[in-house]
Amino acid sequence: MTPSYHLKLAHLYAAQMNVYGDRGNVIALRQRCHWRGIDLSVIPIEPGDQPDWASFDLAFFGGGQDSGQALIAHDLLERQGPGLRAALEDGLVLLAICGGYQLLGHYFLTHTGERLPGLGVLDVHTVGGNQRLIGNIVVEADLPTVGPVRLVGFENHSGRTYHGPGVQSMGRVLAGHGDNGEDGRGGAIYRNTFGCYLHGSLLPKNPQLTDHLIGLALYRRYGPTAHLAPLDAALEHHAQQTMIHRLVS
């Protein structure tokens, strides 16, 4: 008999932080849970909310324009900050894309000179540039439950994110610009927090990462006996490999 699992996902600032199809990442998590009989509740977190962060298993924080980030930065830092930081330190599984990624760092210095403080969960900082880094991207990552995998996505950002010693790189950029267009780093990982610039949407294009995040959440909630049933992802893998073949010689 298949075990009955229930997971709870927090979708941070969906109205303000949702560009380039980022909402598709939540859809992918929900669908791949559904196919396995896992009940995934999705709870929107809006400015002014006071959620119990200890009750969540997964979280998603999408990208947004600088103006969108400015609208929610204070709420994130002052209202959500203490509970969210504690949950992330305790292993809450979070995926953050672009603007969400930037606000998990120490600060984001916009191209106009405005300094937006971040949560400081990730040892990174971001500096806005005058030239946008745009295009398809391939990042070679090594996911513990999967092994080496090439992730595909689409990036469009003017911010340059630089890593400190307190994070590990999510992967090596094989095609595209990556976090800053200089050092070949594509994304950052700290505990179960993953941040990167891969829009597109990232998770529908990369079922290996989707399942890795679900697996981490199951392990944290139910322990090592939790079983993530395999799924047929032949079509997703074919689409992924087609894009990799186009971009990486």
Side-chain angles (χ1 to χ4, degrees):
M1 183 176 178
T2 302
S4 177
Y5 297 130
H6 175 82
L7 297 175
K8 188 176 174 183
L9 182 147
H11 188 175
L12 282 149
Y13 310 116
Q16 298 84 6
M17 305 291 285
N18 178 44
V19 295
Y20 305 117
D22 281 348
R23 193 183 301 271
N25 293 299
V26 175
I27 295 171
L29 286 165
R30 184 162 47 197
Q31 187 61 52
R32 291 186 73 79
C33 281
H34 174 72
W35 284 334
R36 293 181 165 99
I38 300 170
D39 179 25
L40 178 66
S41 299
V42 178
I43 310 299
I45 307 299
E46 302 295 348
D49 289 348
Q50 294 183 305
D52 175 13
W53 282 104
S55 71
F56 289 101
D57 306 291
L58 289 154
F60 176 70
F61 195 1
Q65 298 176 338
D66 291 359
S67 57
Q69 291 175 258
L71 286 174
I72 56 91
H74 179 77
D75 186 86
L76 174 69
L77 190 67
E78 300 298 328
R79 191 180 301 274
Q80 311 304 339
L84 181 53
R85 285 193 200 95
L88 294 173
E89 288 292 336
D90 190 50
L92 172 66
V93 181
L94 182 146
L95 174 64
I97 307 292
C98 200
Y101 175 29
Q102 293 168 351
L103 290 177
L104 290 182
H106 298 300
Y107 63 87
F108 172 34
L109 184 65
T110 73
H111 72 283
T112 62
E114 182 180 8
R115 185 185 176 104
L116 299 178
L119 276 185
V121 172
L122 295 176
D123 186 16
V124 303
H125 71 275
T126 303
V127 179
N130 294 321
Q131 180 181 357
R132 300 196 70 82
L133 306 179
I134 305 175
N136 291 307
I137 179 172
V138 179
V139 173
E140 187 171 57
D142 190 0
L143 305 177
T145 60
V146 177
V149 60
R150 293 181 174 184
L151 306 174
V152 299
F154 179 82
E155 59 181 339
N156 185 346
H157 56 105
S158 61
R160 273 68 168 167
T161 297
Y162 299 93
H163 294 204
V167 294
Q168 69 179 84
S169 176
M170 191 172 84
R172 179 172 61 95
V173 177
L174 302 181
H177 302 283
D179 280 16
N180 52 56
E182 300 169 19
D183 58 19
R185 291 177 176 175
I189 301 174
Y190 172 72
R191 295 188 183 273
N192 288 338
T193 299
F194 299 76
C196 66
Y197 281 104
L198 279 70
H199 295 285
S201 297
L202 173 63
L203 296 186
K205 291 182 176 181
N206 300 281
Q208 304 96 323
L209 179 58
T210 314
D211 288 350
H212 179 60
L213 299 177
I214 296 170
L216 289 174
L218 282 178
Y219 183 90
R220 177 172 178 261
R221 174 61 63 185
Y222 294 100
T225 61
H227 174 63
L228 188 66
L231 291 177
D232 180 7
L235 290 177
E236 292 94 330
H237 290 157
H238 178 71
Q240 181 190 60
Q241 292 305 311
T242 298
M243 181 59 72
I244 292 170
H245 181 71
R246 290 178 183 175
L247 299 173
V248 182
S249 56

